[in-house]
Amino acid sequence: MEPTSPPQAKARLHSPPSQTAVAVLALAALLGLLYLGRPVLVPVTLAVVLSFAITPFVLALRRFGLGHVSSVLVAVAATGSVVFVLAGVIAMQSVQMASQFGDYQGTFRANLQALRNATFERIEPTWEAAEKMLDPSADTTTAAGRAAPRDAEGVVRAAPVPVEIRQPKPSATELLRRLLAVVWGPLGSTGIVVVVLIFVLLEREALRDRFIRLAGGSDLRTTTTAINDAGERLSRYLLRQFAVNSAVGLVIWGTLTAIGLPHATLVASLTAVLRFVPFLGVPIAAFLAAVLALAAAPGWGLLFLTLTVFVTVQLITSQVIEPRLYGHATGLSPLSIVLATLFWGWLWGPMGVIIATPLTLCLAVAGRHAESLGFLDIVLGDGPALTMAQSFYQRALSGDADEIIAAAREFLKRRPLAAYCDVVLLPALQLSRADLRSGEITRQQQLDLRSTIVRVVEGLDEGSRVHLFQRQQSSVLEDASPGRLLRQKRLLRQRSEAANPTRAPHAHVVQGSMVLCLGLGSLGDDLAAELLVRILREMHVDARHLTLEDLQAPRPRDVEPSTIAAACLVSATPGEERRRGVQLGQQIRAKLPHTFMLALLLPSVLGETDDSTLGEIVDRLATSFE
């Protein structure tokens, strides 16, 4: 393929204005259709959502031997019975509470007056004084002067006599017509829901096949996986939510009955229903229960007990039960649920609020499996937008070492340091190497990156927690690579501990216990060698980090051929360094013929090939720290 010229590449990044206008008009038309068609779309969508919740019961009935049609009818009838009983309980309790309205009215007014006396009346004098200070020209006429209105001649006018106009009592036919006008809309919507629900359950397999053909008949595997994923998530979420809401309703009923709140059955039923409304359902139910508590008993004791019950039950449910029971049943982020609730509530009203989460879940699943809709999974899903390596690199460029260290410690609770280096640290360094090669990062960003790497690796070392928040000077960073800086820090710390017998006793080198780690010359090689040393030292292995300059220097006193158990050549960048490593390996083999030799050749994401023969010289070849 011919390389794309910069003007052509720039043209691909910016769509023509005509395409943008068409997309905006298409979006506006879609919103208009959704809004104007809500009388039909809302019950149809609700029926489809309910079908996912009822499908497991239909399948269970078929496994027990019922036919397909019989299973659908029994499942729908059972669901309708539950809804009918719940609605009947709420209606009967509401009528009973309305009949006792007169008994609660006096207590409610007394409690409200006590609340007003405790709050507003104490603030009122201060408020009036503030008004006089802000508006000195306010009317100061006494109440006696304003008591009787007068005309132009000063004659007191008589007070107007209120006149009340009463409509004639409606006939039985008029009452029936009004009742039908009120219930016709809900009855029609309920009928649409029931009919569509039955036919969706009866034609479930055929509808699935038709949808697969429309959505992506050329890729059956991807489309089938997406549909199964959406169905399983919706069914699991709806069933678990129904179970949790029912249990919460029972707990609310029992506790409110125990503390003496009247009509606890009504409050518990409303709580179980309103919990289907994300974020707002429970506060609304708690407010209604608080109003009932104010009207049922004088004082504030019953009100505080009622609110305590709701707060306690909600905290336990939302913080303990639901995270363990739901887990990633929806795969949606909390912010996306809030925004979806606002959007569908604005578009379709209260019913849109209830079905907002299932609809958003379907969109997120479509984004997860369809490449063209991948942005939906990023916007709506609860998964991380960046990989751990990308997150490390982004925060390293910003100098957020503390945040990286916090995430790394969470990772290290589950997996070892070697895995963290393989999965996070080295891939992040390869991203930086790619940007450095293409000139995408500045000199200052390179310094910030080096400083952050040093702080992170030092922060993860148990012996250097005291140096966690000490930043390095730029002049030092410009003179040394991260690997050599970390090596110097570690050697200084080891010397300090060796000089202080109370902190660490002098180590005695055991015969055949030392491992030499040699970087092959590049900045990445030095860092990888230092990381390998720290990994081995966590495993209580006497590992030493040697550079190419150390091989030309005099041999340390404690490094004898008999003390060396193994030598490891470390390379993080394929290329010339690894070809030079072949000569280095031959030299080490000549000086230490009986020493075990290992080569750690870390892979590269830049597409570079490794044409060295280093693997033929060493005893063992490794491609990762783990």
Side-chain angles (χ1 to χ4, degrees):
M1 295 178 62
E2 295 181 358
T4 304
S5 61
Q8 293 175 344
K10 188 175 182 180
R12 291 181 181 179
L13 294 176
H14 300 281
S15 59
S18 59
Q19 295 183 4
T20 304
V22 169
V24 172
L25 291 176
L27 179 61
L30 178 61
L31 292 177
L33 291 175
L34 291 175
Y35 181 78
L36 295 176
R38 65 187 184 277
V40 177
L41 293 177
V42 170
V44 169
T45 305
L46 180 60
V48 174
V49 170
L50 286 176
S51 68
F52 286 100
I54 300 177
T55 296
F57 293 107
V58 175
L59 298 178
L61 291 174
R62 293 186 64 180
R63 285 194 294 268
F64 277 108
L66 290 180
H68 182 53
V69 177
S70 302
S71 301
V72 170
L73 295 179
V74 170
V76 173
T79 304
S81 300
V82 172
V83 175
F84 180 78
V85 169
L86 186 60
V89 169
I90 293 176
M92 293 177 59
Q93 288 288 319
S94 300
V95 171
Q96 182 180 0
M97 187 178 67
S99 64
Q100 300 175 355
F101 179 76
D103 301 335
Y104 296 145
Q105 192 173 6
T107 305
F108 186 71
R109 288 181 177 177
N111 286 334
L112 284 184
Q113 184 62 36
L115 177 63
R116 186 175 186 277
N117 295 338
T119 56
F120 294 105
E121 287 194 355
R122 295 185 179 183
I123 302 175
E124 193 170 343
T126 306
W127 184 261
E128 291 179 355
E131 284 185 338
K132 292 179 180 180
M133 292 177 60
L134 295 175
D135 189 8
S137 62
D139 186 17
T140 57
T141 307
T142 61
R146 298 194 305 264
R150 299 172 183 268
D151 57 13
E153 298 178 357
V155 179
V156 178
R157 296 196 304 266
V161 178
V163 178
E164 182 179 359
I165 300 176
R166 295 185 177 181
Q167 297 290 339
K169 186 176 181 180
S171 62
T173 305
E174 180 67 18
L175 289 176
L176 181 60
R177 187 182 66 81
R178 293 180 182 179
L179 180 61
L180 289 177
V182 172
V183 302
W184 179 253
L187 284 178
S189 299
T190 303
I192 294 176
V193 170
V194 173
V195 172
V196 174
L197 176 61
I198 292 175
F199 278 95
V200 167
L201 291 174
L202 289 175
E203 302 291 333
R204 187 175 67 90
E205 289 79 6
L207 290 175
R208 181 187 60 190
D209 295 342
R210 295 177 186 275
F211 184 80
I212 290 175
R213 179 66 180 273
L214 290 174
S218 59
D219 191 356
L220 293 177
R221 182 191 61 81
T222 302
T223 309
T224 303
T225 302
I227 293 177
N228 293 337
D229 188 12
E232 291 176 1
R233 286 178 179 270
L234 268 179
S235 299
R236 187 165 58 246
Y237 169 73
L238 293 174
L239 291 176
R240 292 178 181 180
Q241 189 180 32
F242 177 80
V244 170
N245 292 357
S246 302
V248 169
L250 290 175
V251 172
I252 291 290
W253 172 78
T255 51
L256 293 184
T257 302
I259 65 176
L261 182 71
H263 308 292
T265 304
L266 174 62
V267 175
S269 302
L270 289 176
T271 303
V273 173
L274 289 173
R275 275 188 59 84
F276 285 97
V277 179
F279 303 105
L280 299 177
V282 175
I284 293 174
F287 174 76
L288 297 176
V291 172
L292 183 59
L294 278 178
W300 306 95
L302 186 59
L303 172 64
F304 288 143
L305 287 176
T306 301
L307 293 179
T308 301
V309 168
F310 272 89
V311 171
T312 303
V313 173
Q314 179 62 16
L315 285 177
I316 294 176
T317 304
S318 61
Q319 302 298 325
V320 178
I321 297 177
E322 288 181 338
R324 296 184 179 181
L325 188 60
Y326 290 169
H328 295 280
T330 61
L332 301 176
S333 66
L335 179 60
S336 67
I337 295 177
V338 173
L339 296 179
T341 302
L342 294 176
F343 172 76
W344 292 108
W346 164 75
L347 195 64
W348 283 353
M351 194 57 65
V353 173
I354 296 176
I355 61 180
T357 300
L359 290 177
T360 310
L361 188 149
C362 293
L363 292 176
V365 171
R368 185 174 295 111
H369 295 281
E371 184 177 356
S372 60
L373 301 176
F375 69 95
L376 291 176
D377 185 35
I378 297 175
V379 174
L380 303 176
D382 61 348
L386 300 176
T387 65
M388 296 186 67
Q390 292 172 336
S391 178
F392 183 103
Y393 182 45
Q394 182 272 327
R395 285 159 176 75
L397 289 176
S398 302
D400 298 333
D402 298 333
E403 189 172 350
I404 298 175
I405 293 172
R409 287 177 179 168
E410 289 296 324
F411 183 95
L412 294 178
K413 291 179 181 178
R414 306 182 303 271
R415 301 185 64 183
L417 178 60
Y420 181 78
C421 294
D422 286 332
V423 175
V424 181
L425 186 54
L426 287 181
L429 295 178
Q430 290 170 347
L431 292 175
S432 68
R433 181 165 171 249
D435 285 348
L436 182 61
R437 171 176 292 185
S438 60
E440 297 293 334
I441 57 177
T442 63
R443 177 63 175 170
Q444 184 59 44
Q445 288 177 322
Q446 297 177 35
L447 297 179
D448 292 339
L449 180 62
R450 294 181 184 183
S451 175
T452 303
I453 292 173
V454 172
R455 292 187 61 205
V456 168
V457 177
E458 280 287 282
L460 296 180
D461 194 333
E462 293 292 337
S464 60
R465 293 290 174 87
V466 294
H467 305 290
L468 180 58
F469 298 101
Q470 295 178 359
R471 296 186 178 273
Q472 303 298 321
Q473 300 296 328
S474 299
S475 60
V476 177
L477 288 171
E478 293 172 357
D479 296 334
S481 66
R484 300 201 178 194
L485 277 175
L486 290 169
R487 176 175 179 267
Q488 295 170 5
K489 282 175 165 291
R490 180 176 51 79
L491 293 177
L492 289 174
R493 188 168 61 252
Q494 291 175 2
R495 292 168 185 169
S496 175
E497 292 175 352
N500 188 354
T502 61
R503 295 183 59 186
H506 290 281
H508 176 69
V509 180
V510 182
Q511 298 291 325
S513 63
M514 186 182 300
V515 176
L516 301 181
C517 302
L518 299 93
L520 296 186
S522 70
L523 300 180
D525 298 345
D526 288 336
L527 180 58
E530 178 61 26
L531 291 175
L532 178 61
V533 168
R534 291 173 181 251
I535 292 171
L536 294 175
R537 283 184 171 271
E538 277 196 355
M539 302 170 62
H540 306 289
V541 176
D542 185 10
R544 308 291 180 94
H545 179 189
L546 299 183
T547 63
L548 296 180
E549 292 81 0
D550 294 332
L551 297 179
Q552 308 299 329
R555 186 179 60 196
R557 296 180 180 179
D558 58 344
V559 179
E560 296 291 338
S562 60
T563 62
I564 300 174
C568 182
L569 303 179
V570 183
S571 174
T573 54
E576 184 64 28
E577 292 84 359
R578 292 189 181 178
R579 289 188 287 272
R580 291 200 304 265
V582 175
Q583 301 178 358
L584 179 60
Q586 294 173 347
Q587 295 175 6
I588 295 176
R589 177 65 72 189
K591 295 181 178 180
L592 305 172
H594 303 292
T595 299
F596 181 83
M597 289 189 62
L598 172 71
L600 175 58
L601 306 182
L602 297 172
S604 173
V605 297
L606 303 180
E608 298 168 313
T609 59
D610 182 18
D611 55 355
S612 69
T613 57
L614 190 57
E616 301 176 358
I617 301 175
V618 298
D619 298 310
R620 185 171 180 179
L621 182 66
T623 57
S624 68
F625 286 107
E626 244 186 332

